[in-house]
Amino acid sequence: GDSVTQMEGPVTLSEEAFLTINCTYTATGYPSLFWYVQYPGEGLQLLLKATKADDKGSNKGFEATYRKETTSFHLEKGSVQVSDSAVYFCALSDKGQGAQKLVFGQGTRLTINP
Amino acid sequence: EAGVAQSPRYKIIEKRQSVAFWCNPISGHATLYWYQQILGQGPKLLIQFQNNGVVDDSQLPKDRFSAERLKGVDSTLKIQPAKLEDSAVYLCASSSQIGTDGYTFGSGTRLTVV
């Protein structure tokens, strides 16, 4: 079945450092890809998405490009802030499946130190 | 607009007891989802409703879990009897259509089974 594999955490960086969180996927169809973020004590929030190959999703300085050839959707940010500390989830939704459910990776906890 | 409301926020029960969680989706959202998020893992879909009908319950442990969405609005998820491995955060989400573009998650109910 469909699956998502994320970079193992936790990840700890200093403020203004460059961030990459790796995500690869396995899907039978042509999925849409997502990054969700979960701040402490809050629900999951959609950070960005891409619906087809070579699309780039971006939001709040974060970017991720849908790479069909490498089945990847790595999350990047050029300069992280303390407020970016959260758990990040990569997810896919396979358009071929009628229910359109989200399949999540295991999450990567990011801590940014001042 | 108001978000997805869930209650209670926390619940501690002994194994073999029963428990129920409540979710009120965003007004007008036809699709409602219940996800289970075990510590250190990504959320996993338990059940999806479209209005008051079940679209996907393939990963719902039906011997102990049940869910209903009477009148196609709010929903309850019940566990009876609970097991230790049911300790998790139970997330409710809603969307305005079958698809993930409009997903909004609630803050979740954290269940601890002792």
Side-chain angles (χ1 to χ4, degrees), chain A residues 22-63:
Chain A
N22 290 338
C23 171
T24 57
Y25 67 90
T26 303
T28 53
Y30 301 94
S32 294
L33 302 175
F34 305 83
W35 277 99
Y36 278 80
V37 59
Q38 190 171 38
Y39 298 104
E42 298 184 19
L44 284 163
Q45 301 174 26
L46 178 64
L47 180 60
L48 54 84
K49 67 180 182 183
T51 58
K52 61 183 188 297
D54 299 325
D55 269 2
K56 177 185 284 189
S58 62
N59 186 25
K60 299 182 181 180
F62 290 89
E63 293 183 340

Side-chain angles (χ1 to χ4, degrees), chain A residues 32 34 36 38 41-46 49 51 87 89 93 98-107 109, chain B residues 9 33 35 37 40-45 48 55-56 58-59 91 98-101 103-108:
Chain A
S32 294
F34 305 83
Y36 278 80
Q38 190 171 38
E42 298 184 19
L44 284 163
Q45 301 174 26
L46 178 64
K49 67 180 182 183
T51 58
V87 181
F89 292 92
S93 174
Q100 295 266 307
K101 68 182 182 184
L102 284 169
V103 176
F104 287 88
Q106 74 271 31
R109 181 174 299 278
Chain B
R9 284 299 308 271
Y33 314 79
Y35 281 80
Q37 185 178 8
Q41 299 180 20
K44 181 186 78 173
L45 180 71
Q48 178 185 345
V55 174
D56 183 353
S58 57
Q59 297 192 83
L91 295 166
I98 294 182
T100 51
D101 284 5
Y103 254 75
T104 301
F105 282 88
S107 297

Side-chain angles (χ1 to χ4, degrees), chain A residues 6 21 35-37 47 62 75 84 86-90 107-108 110:
Chain A
Q6 276 183 246
I21 300 178
W35 277 99
Y36 278 80
V37 59
L47 180 60
F62 290 89
L75 182 68
D84 294 327
V87 181
Y88 292 81
F89 292 92
C90 186
T108 302
L110 174 66

Side-chain angles (χ1 to χ4, degrees), chain B residues 42-106:
Chain B
K44 181 186 78 173
L45 180 71
L46 291 175
I47 189 167
Q48 178 185 345
F49 292 94
Q50 177 72 9
N51 296 309
N52 61 349
V54 175
V55 174
D56 183 353
D57 64 356
S58 57
Q59 297 192 83
L60 186 74
K62 298 181 186 63
D63 57 334
R64 297 183 302 105
F65 285 66
S66 65
E68 60 183 9
R69 192 184 183 198
L70 300 176
K71 301 180 183 177
V73 181
D74 55 349
S75 175
T76 55
L77 176 69
K78 297 179 181 176
I79 308 175
Q80 181 179 12
K83 293 185 175 181
L84 296 177
E85 58 261 36
D86 298 332
S87 295
V89 176
Y90 290 85
L91 295 166
C92 180
S94 69
S95 66
S96 57
Q97 58 193 359
I98 294 182
T100 51
D101 284 5
Y103 254 75
T104 301
F105 282 88

Side-chain angles (χ1 to χ4, degrees), chain A residues 79-100:
Chain A
S79 177
V80 292
Q81 306 300 314
V82 172
S83 56
D84 294 327
S85 298
V87 181
Y88 292 81
F89 292 92
C90 186
L92 69 81
S93 174
D94 194 336
K95 301 185 191 67
Q97 298 178 6
Q100 295 266 307

